[in-house]
Amino acid sequence: MVEGGLYGSVAQRRLQAGALESLEATRRTPGAVFAARMSGTEDPERFGWDRISAILRAEGAMTFRMIAAGACPEVERRLAALGFAVAWWDVFEGSRDEVAVACDGVLAAPRNDVAPLVPFPGDEAEFLARVQAFMAEGGVAPFPAQVLSGETGAAALAVLGDARDGSMVATAFAHFPYNRHSPHRATAWAGLATVREDFRGRGIGVWVNALALRRAVIDLRAERAQEFARKSNAASRRMIERCGLRLRPDLLSGIAQPLGSASFTR
Ligand SMILES: CC(C)(COP(=O)(O)OP(=O)(O)OC[C@H]1O[C@@H](n2cnc3c(N)ncnc32)[C@H](O)[C@@H]1OP(=O)(O)O)[C@@H](O)C(=O)NCCC(=O)NCCS
């Protein structure tokens, strides 16, 4: 089993190890999604409910991405029959141009309170472990270090530090979870936006998210970008919209867990 680079409880690490170990299969299987924190599907019918049921039994959680809103009740019904409930996040999306224009606008206003943080050569593992701990502290379930570093595929990690003392104050991340069979194959997913509590409400969330998104659509040539947010997370929704993404009311993304479980992430 993969062990290095994972983060969180035994159950979270087991899910991350499962996602990493099945990466190659995920890349070639129609309907599969590389969600980093756990196994995933963007098309339950194509992926197959037998496979979904086996994953849920073996791993205890799974993500359902970009599900048509009209199909969600059927997904919920089938999951309930397996003893699972799904928590849904709203989907926001933007084209490369929309995202690039909005992010350039955000980043045009210089900041002197924060500065990009990068690892010293040879210190990547320790740096990524600090990034994971920082995200978890903000209530965001981190990704394995192998994903944050770009080892598993093109990725953009943005980390900001306090300009006075270099301590970590903000993170955001983007990568490509969908495979070549997917209508979303050229879409980057962005997330893991976390701002240290004493730095919130000053525009740093928008700034760090814009850094990761801009790298995804300009440097990594994503045609579109997407992010997910709960209805209750007003700051996250506004941050996402400020970066040029718009609500897709026709789609939802969610995480299925055993009935009665605590929420997996923000
Ligand atoms: C979400 C988060 C990253 C936002 O970071 P932030 O630095 O506080 O946000 P910003 O200051 O950049 O503000 C973003 C926008 O949200 C608005 N906003 C900020 N806090 C808000 C709140 N509590 N309620 C409503 N709107 C809020 C801001 O006014 C701003 O909109 P505006 O530019 O139109 O004025 C931060 O709150 C956080 O770390 N939360 C915990 C982790 C989390 O939920 N991550 C997102 C997972 S999807």
Side-chain angles (χ1 to χ4, degrees), residues 138 193-195 200-203 205-206 228 233-236 238 242 266:
T194 316
V195 174
R200 289 189 191 162
R202 307 189 204 168
V206 173
F228 307 149
N233 199 340
S236 175
R238 186 72 198 123
R242 284 281 316 278
R266 282 194 194 244

Side-chain angles (χ1 to χ4, degrees), residues 147-235:
V147 183
L148 297 175
S149 66
E151 194 186 310
T152 56
L157 175 65
V159 185
L160 298 176
D162 183 338
R164 293 167 306 184
D165 61 12
S167 60
M168 204 172 283
V169 297
T171 60
F173 178 73
H175 78 142
F176 294 85
Y178 303 100
N179 66 30
R180 64 182 185 279
H181 305 287
S182 169
H184 311 294
R185 58 186 166 274
T187 300
W189 173 94
L192 309 183
T194 316
V195 174
R196 204 169 80 197
E197 243 172 80
D198 53 334
F199 276 77
R200 289 189 191 162
R202 307 189 204 168
I204 294 171
V206 173
W207 222 77
V208 75
N209 199 49
L211 279 175
L213 280 169
R214 195 181 181 289
R215 280 178 42 205
V217 297
I218 301 297
D219 302 346
L220 306 179
R221 304 296 298 156
E223 287 174 15
R224 304 184 68 75
Q226 63 174 219
E227 296 206 46
F228 307 149
R230 286 173 187 277
K231 293 223 178 326
S232 57
N233 199 340

